[in-house]
Amino acid sequence: KHSDSHIEPEKTPMLKELEETLWLSAMKKGGFKEAVIRIILSVTSANHIINMAEYDAAKEIMKSDDRLKAVTPDELKNLIREQSALLEKDREQALETLINLLWLKKDRKAAMKIARSLTDIEAIKKFKKTALLKKIESILLKDDPEFVYSS
């Protein structure tokens, strides 16, 4: 009787090394577009959830630079798929190799500006939530002598 199940052979040290070399090579491949997509994904999915504010910000970022504006929806889908896989494989190395994609200082600065704009959104959201929590607490617990808001 023939079995349809595929049994993966155990990887030899040479095969493992080859695989690592291919992953590293993939992480160093690309340019500004790949770097920006990788940055957007790493910042927005730091908690593995991309919320609407982050999604909207990412859309605005894609309109902010001529190189990003030219990306078609299909190309964007592929870029997201590729860069997600690289981040999933080895997040640390995927971030370390960004420098290989951003040769020019002006591109590094532009990419950093994008990263900061995304983290600013997170900071603003956190600030608003904290302010709202303080307001609710002060309303609900204002008559409680034990109430002292802990920042």
Side-chain angles (χ1 to χ4, degrees):
K1 185 180 170 188
H2 181 263
S3 172
D4 287 336
S5 65
H6 174 75
I7 299 168
E8 183 116 0
E10 193 172 325
K11 291 180 183 168
T12 63
M14 192 174 116
L15 188 58
K16 284 180 188 171
E17 190 179 323
L18 178 62
E19 196 175 76
E20 287 305 311
T21 303
L22 289 171
W23 276 108
L24 183 59
S25 171
M27 288 181 189
K28 291 180 176 181
K29 189 177 148 219
F32 186 76
K33 291 183 290 191
E34 290 79 4
V36 169
I37 297 299
R38 194 179 303 174
I39 289 168
I40 291 172
L41 289 169
S42 67
V43 171
T44 57
S45 67
N47 59 359
H48 300 289
I49 299 166
I50 297 176
N51 63 42
M52 283 311 291
E54 291 167 334
Y55 177 77
D56 290 341
K59 273 177 34 183
E60 287 307 308
I61 287 165
M62 294 305 288
K63 295 177 197 171
S64 71
D65 185 282
D66 288 339
R67 293 166 289 186
L68 301 175
K69 257 188 245 179
V71 175
T72 66
D74 281 347
E75 188 183 0
L76 181 60
K77 246 187 265 181
N78 287 334
L79 283 167
I80 290 171
R81 206 174 287 131
E82 289 166 7
Q83 298 307 313
S84 292
L86 297 175
L87 284 162
E88 207 171 290
K89 172 64 180 163
D90 186 340
R91 187 177 202 83
E92 215 39 53
Q93 196 166 43
L95 295 175
E96 296 273 339
T97 52
L98 282 170
I99 196 113
N100 298 91
L101 309 184
L102 300 166
W103 294 49
L104 301 175
K105 193 171 189 174
K106 71 179 179 98
D107 288 347
R108 290 178 189 171
K109 285 183 174 181
M112 203 54 234
K113 187 177 175 186
I114 289 167
R116 283 196 186 102
S117 71
L118 287 165
T119 54
D120 287 348
I121 288 165
E122 284 304 304
I124 290 165
K125 281 183 7 206
K126 187 175 181 184
F127 175 77
K128 285 181 178 176
K129 284 179 185 173
T130 304
L132 182 62
L133 184 62
K134 282 182 182 179
K135 182 177 178 72
I136 293 168
E137 250 180 358
S138 68
I139 293 166
L140 296 178
L141 301 176
K142 73 176 179 195
D143 296 330
D144 187 338
E146 294 171 21
F147 167 66
V148 178
Y149 183 79
S150 57
S151 47

